[in-house]
Amino acid sequence: MVRLNRTAIYSFLLVFIVLMYLQRLRNKYFLQNQESEDLNLQKERPPLIEYTIEKFGVEGDRQNYSIQTEKHSDEYCIGYSFLKATETFREPDGLEPVTLATHATSDMIDAIEMMPQLWDGPISIGVFVDYHSSNVLEFLSEIHRCDIRFRRKMTVHFAFRRAPFQAECPLFELKHSNRSCQEFYASHEYLRNSIVGPFQLYPSNLMRNIARKGAQSDIHFIMDGDMIPSQDFATKIKPIANEIVDGKSRRVLAIRRFETSHGADIPRDHRKLLKSKRLHKTFEFHHRFFAAGHHIDGLDDWFRASGHSDMVSTKEVAYP
């Protein structure tokens, strides 16, 4: 048997105390670092949404939802028009409205809530969910009931991946809410933070096509859920879109797309866009990753024409 002398015991205790002290310093450092990251995340969150509800109690009808989902390619189930816009945006001018056809996952709820403020026309969105993120549908139904602008514009569809050996797509049912809109808004931030993203691969092309198929008009502006359109784009593009996209010729109306550096203000008109570009804060979309696939010639001429006239014009470009 090895007998430890008093010096060895004291040395062991000293080493143990030093290790405990270092562990406490390490924990304190990570705690401070986490608090700093949380603070940065709070600063980067989008501004609070200004809801268009005029007063608490002005809300849509409470209803039970029951939708028979449809099978797609033996892999997905789709629920069309889970929530439907109350306005058609069909006006006396006889022009076909331009629907914003977009798609998102449940963890993009901030961007989904902002869409009615960015698009003055019908919106059709496909939301991909799974078992873990299905509570986003209940949350969206509450927004649809309590926010007038959301209810006027937004038509919401959803899709999820079928379970193994699942023969048929199920009937989706959601009972009406017992909350008042005042109660919903009081817990809005908590409910939104409880929504997580799906733990599955995201079928972006499928969701884009669901938004198009479920749109309430025949002309669609296809956009990813995190894009921000320019000011009054929906109304400005409507006349020329009706002229070019006639359902007969094989033509599409393509727009210029840009990306802005993180932290910089996103310009929503051509004057602010040009200023931001000159300051090297805004660039053509994917200019570093795949410029050939996104670049459109004549950018300087486009800026000059935009500076001289507010009239929307087009230039034919051959598709290579």
Side-chain angles (χ1 to χ4, degrees):
M1 176 182 290
V2 178
R3 180 175 296 177
L4 295 177
N5 60 30
R6 183 174 298 178
T7 303
I9 294 174
Y10 286 158
S11 299
F12 175 79
L13 289 175
L14 181 61
V15 171
F16 178 77
I17 292 171
V18 170
L19 289 176
M20 290 294 294
Y21 177 72
L22 291 175
Q23 180 68 22
R24 290 186 63 183
L25 286 178
R26 178 180 178 275
N27 292 341
K28 183 178 180 181
Y29 168 78
F30 280 111
L31 179 61
Q32 290 175 342
N33 191 45
Q34 182 64 42
E35 290 175 348
S36 176
E37 290 180 358
D38 291 343
L39 182 59
N40 289 333
L41 285 174
Q42 291 175 5
K43 290 180 179 178
E44 292 173 4
R45 282 195 73 122
L48 290 177
I49 297 168
E50 297 178 2
Y51 287 103
T52 53
I53 186 166
E54 296 174 2
K55 61 180 180 179
F56 294 125
V58 179
E59 56 186 64
D61 295 332
R62 302 188 186 199
Q63 57 178 302
N64 296 319
Y65 297 94
S66 180
I67 298 175
Q68 179 59 56
T69 57
E70 305 175 12
K71 185 164 60 175
H72 175 79
S73 70
D74 291 329
E75 189 174 359
Y76 299 98
C77 294
I78 302 172
Y80 283 104
S81 298
F82 162 55
L83 303 171
K84 195 168 183 178
T86 59
E87 189 167 329
T88 64
F89 291 90
R90 298 189 180 277
E91 300 172 346
D93 59 14
L95 296 177
E96 186 72 8
V98 179
T99 293
L100 172 59
T102 186
H103 55 96
T105 53
S106 51
D107 52 348
M108 295 173 63
I109 191 64
D110 290 347
I112 297 174
E113 287 188 81
M114 287 291 291
M115 284 178 185
Q117 299 188 43
L118 302 174
W119 188 264
D120 190 18
I123 303 172
S124 177
I125 182 170
V127 181
F128 184 68
V129 299
D130 63 6
Y131 174 80
H132 303 281
S133 59
S134 58
N135 58 336
V136 72
L137 299 178
E138 180 181 0
F139 183 86
L140 289 173
S141 70
E142 293 285 72
I143 294 291
H144 192 268
R145 179 172 62 91
C146 295
D147 184 357
I148 296 171
R149 183 159 42 186
F150 194 97
R151 187 164 63 248
R152 284 180 58 234
K153 300 178 181 181
M154 296 287 286
T155 298
V156 180
H157 325 280
F158 65 89
F160 55 90
R161 189 170 273 107
R162 292 173 60 202
F165 310 111
Q166 183 179 358
E168 301 295 335
C169 286
L171 176 70
F172 171 79
E173 294 181 295
L174 180 64
K175 292 185 178 180
H176 70 81
S177 173
N178 292 321
R179 281 187 294 245
S180 67
C181 286
Q182 183 176 9
E183 292 170 331
F184 169 68
Y185 286 131
S187 58
H188 170 267
E189 196 70 15
Y190 169 78
L191 294 171
R192 182 164 62 174
N193 290 339
S194 67
I195 297 171
V196 298
F199 292 92
Q200 298 181 12
L201 292 176
Y202 179 52
S204 56
N205 286 333
L206 171 66
M207 302 314 298
R208 186 181 296 114
N209 290 334
I210 288 173
R212 293 195 63 195
K213 184 176 179 180
Q216 303 301 303
S217 73
D218 292 333
I219 300 179
H220 310 147
F221 176 63
I222 303 170
M223 185 183 90
D224 290 342
D226 56 355
M227 276 184 62
I228 297 180
S230 58
Q231 194 74 39
D232 302 322
F233 184 84
T235 53
K236 288 179 179 178
I237 203 69
K238 183 178 174 183
I240 202 163
N242 274 261
E243 177 185 336
I244 291 178
V245 184
D246 57 8
K248 300 175 183 177
S249 60
R250 296 173 61 84
R251 294 187 298 181
V252 297
L253 187 60
I255 62 148
R256 295 184 183 274
R257 187 177 179 185
F258 300 88
E259 58 188 16
T260 301
S261 300
H262 180 72
D265 291 335
I266 297 177
R268 295 192 63 205
D269 63 53
H270 66 272
R271 294 178 181 86
K272 293 178 180 178
L273 175 65
L274 180 58
K275 181 179 179 180
S276 184
K277 185 176 180 297
R278 286 173 173 170
L279 292 173
H280 303 290
K281 294 181 179 180
T282 296
F283 313 88
E284 288 187 276
F285 184 72
H286 278 4
H287 65 293
R288 292 180 179 174
F289 304 105
F290 185 36
H294 296 86
H295 172 73
I296 301 176
D297 290 332
L299 181 58
D300 292 337
D301 292 337
W302 181 79
F303 272 118
R304 278 192 290 271
S306 299
H308 290 124
S309 174
D310 289 332
M311 182 180 298
V312 180
S313 59
T314 62
K315 178 183 178 182
E316 188 168 310
V317 178
Y319 183 74

